[in-house]
Amino acid sequence: MGEMAMSFAALAGFVVGAVAVLFYRNQIEIPGKADAADDAETGALPQGVASVLAVLPSSAVVLDAHDRVLRASSAARAFGLVKGDRMMAAELLALARQVRRDGEIRESEIDVAGHKFGQEVTNFAVRVAPLGSHGQVLVLAEDQTERRRVEAVRRDFVANVSHELKTPVGALSLLAETIQDAADDPEAVTRFAGRMQHEAARLTYLVQDLITLSRIQGAEPIPTPGQVPIDEAVHDAIDHCNTKALAKDITLVAGGTEGLRIWGDDELLVTALRNLIDNAIAYSPEHTRVVVSARPAGDSVEISVSDQGIGIPEESLERIFERFFRVDAARSRATGGTGLGLAIVKHVAVAHAGEVSVWSKEGSGSTFTLRLPAFGGSAVPVQRSLEAANG
């Protein structure tokens, strides 16, 4: 379990040591009371042990000699490890009995049915240690589900980046060799040089998207937010995408309520809108329209990008914001897509304390909607507020 296991072991060692000190203090500092050993035999915890367990961030459980729960942290009950005075996880009970028999500390990993919303299984790093000499056992369980998920995402990300970089780099190498062999054929050299420029541009787009994603994916707040006019951001994004749209005779239309503003970063908003419009163009047939519109929504502003494209299959809707996921890999690569556009949109929304959603139907097109906090806490058009002030 690496560094996490080492820190977890250190924490467990601290707890066991602290509890042992409390046992010792109770034995020598409370004259006139029954022996601390008698308390242990009757299932009582020494004074102060509960206070030590209460400050632990992990799930902590103390079992007596008969596997009854003497003390359980709120985290242990929230995760469903403990119910009443019973330990519900059979694997933990088996470990506790082994520890009680031989007195050796044991570590393991277990999976239990998830008790958090949307979480099917919770994975715990577990450490079980004897507590005193009367059969009591301390169980510490650290939820590492999110850590494992992040590690899996990181591995997938590295593998995907390696694959995506390998394709244009390999193509460039092959084209360079071909040009060398065709040095006496100017027409072939020109043709292959054009292909090299195409692959180099694809590589550039991928690197730029990776840099953008790494800059915003930490879900950190925007360093210097300010008011961002939606109209300007929409027109800037459309200007960036006009060349691609013209190549397919796709009309880009701006509409909705004018004069709206959000609280955020104009460059990031333009980046998100550009990616949504590029995506709409790539998955739309020729001679269609892509509409970008804004409207007030209480304390937020909603910006929608709608197309008349091929739509998204229902089974893919939950995954389209994942990095490198493609509904149609062949079409995406043919149009130079990097597979990072929608992931960037999602992280831009998160950075603005907003969200992005999608409606789509196969054969009817898609609508992506960014919902972002309005400047001033209310989505009021600038022109309307000025008229009210003058009226």
Side-chain angles (χ1 to χ4, degrees):
M1 290 182 278
E3 297 180 1
M4 186 276 296
M6 294 175 60
S7 60
F8 191 44
L11 174 61
F14 164 75
V15 173
V16 174
V19 172
V21 170
L22 287 169
F23 264 107
Y24 177 73
R25 290 179 58 185
N26 281 338
Q27 288 178 329
I28 65 173
E29 292 182 7
I30 310 179
K33 280 191 77 176
D35 221 36
D38 294 335
D39 287 339
E41 290 174 353
T42 60
L45 281 176
Q47 183 181 2
V49 171
S51 299
V52 173
L53 298 181
V55 300
L56 293 177
S58 55
S59 301
V61 182
V62 178
L63 300 174
D64 68 7
H66 306 290
D67 290 336
R68 285 185 308 146
V69 174
L70 296 181
R71 175 69 59 174
S73 66
S74 57
R77 295 188 184 278
F79 280 115
L81 298 176
V82 171
K83 188 174 183 180
D85 64 349
R86 294 176 55 209
M87 171 71 77
M88 304 304 292
E91 299 96 327
L92 290 181
L93 272 179
L95 281 174
R97 288 165 183 166
Q98 292 174 13
V99 168
R100 190 180 293 117
R101 280 197 302 269
D102 57 26
E104 293 186 7
I105 296 174
R106 281 182 168 79
E107 294 179 354
S108 183
E109 290 188 9
I110 66 167
D111 292 323
V112 299
H115 281 250
K116 290 183 177 180
F117 178 76
Q119 187 168 299
E120 296 180 358
V121 175
T122 304
N123 178 266
F124 291 97
V126 176
R127 188 174 175 87
V128 184
L131 197 61
S133 57
H134 297 280
Q136 292 183 348
V137 175
L138 171 67
V139 178
L140 293 176
E142 184 75 18
D143 177 17
Q144 58 176 10
T145 309
E146 182 65 17
R147 183 181 292 111
R148 291 186 67 180
R149 187 192 68 79
V150 171
E151 288 176 356
V153 169
R154 178 182 57 80
R155 287 194 300 270
D156 290 344
F157 181 64
V158 171
N160 283 324
V161 168
S162 301
H163 175 75
E164 295 294 333
L165 289 173
K166 186 169 128 183
T167 302
V169 169
L172 285 171
S173 176
L174 183 61
L175 287 166
E177 292 178 9
T178 306
I179 286 179
Q180 283 182 328
D181 295 337
D184 297 331
D185 186 350
E187 186 177 334
V189 169
T190 301
R191 184 171 70 255
F192 290 132
R195 287 296 306 164
M196 289 185 71
Q197 288 179 334
H198 174 78
E199 295 296 339
R202 179 178 171 187
L203 193 58
T204 300
Y205 294 146
L206 178 58
V207 171
Q208 287 175 341
D209 280 352
L210 285 171
I211 292 172
T212 301
L213 191 58
S214 66
R215 184 163 62 94
I216 62 175
Q217 69 181 350
E220 298 176 357
I222 297 169
T224 55
Q227 60 170 308
V228 180
I230 299 299
D231 300 336
E232 294 182 13
V234 168
H235 285 104
D236 285 350
I238 287 177
D239 285 344
H240 276 94
C241 303
N242 256 329
T243 302
K244 289 184 180 179
L246 288 172
K248 295 181 68 174
D249 192 25
I250 290 176
T251 305
L252 303 181
V253 180
T257 305
E258 296 183 352
L260 295 173
R261 299 170 296 169
I262 66 162
W263 180 253
D265 183 281
D266 55 349
E267 183 180 346
L268 286 181
L269 179 59
V270 171
T271 297
L273 292 175
R274 176 177 56 80
N275 277 290
L276 288 177
I277 297 170
D278 274 344
N279 200 61
I281 294 170
Y283 288 91
S284 293
E286 296 180 351
H287 321 303
T288 56
R289 299 200 325 162
V290 172
V291 179
V292 187
S293 62
R295 71 180 187 91
D299 60 355
S300 301
V301 172
E302 290 186 350
I303 312 169
S304 299
V305 178
S306 303
D307 63 58
Q308 300 168 292
I310 61 175
I312 303 167
E314 187 175 351
E315 64 271 15
S316 299
L317 284 175
E318 294 184 359
R319 299 195 57 196
I320 56 174
F321 294 104
E322 295 178 12
R323 290 168 293 192
F324 295 111
F325 179 79
R326 292 178 170 95
V327 175
D328 186 340
R331 179 189 291 258
S332 181
R333 289 194 173 95
T335 57
T338 64
L340 295 172
L342 292 181
I344 290 173
V345 172
K346 182 187 74 172
H347 286 292
V348 169
V350 171
H352 283 79
E355 60 183 5
V356 59
S357 58
V358 58
W359 172 91
S360 186
K361 184 178 179 181
E362 284 190 272
S364 300
S366 305
T367 297
F368 287 84
T369 301
L370 277 168
R371 186 182 177 94
L372 307 172
F375 178 74
S378 181
V380 179
V382 175
Q383 184 177 359
R384 186 184 303 169
S385 62
L386 288 175
E387 289 174 354
N390 293 330

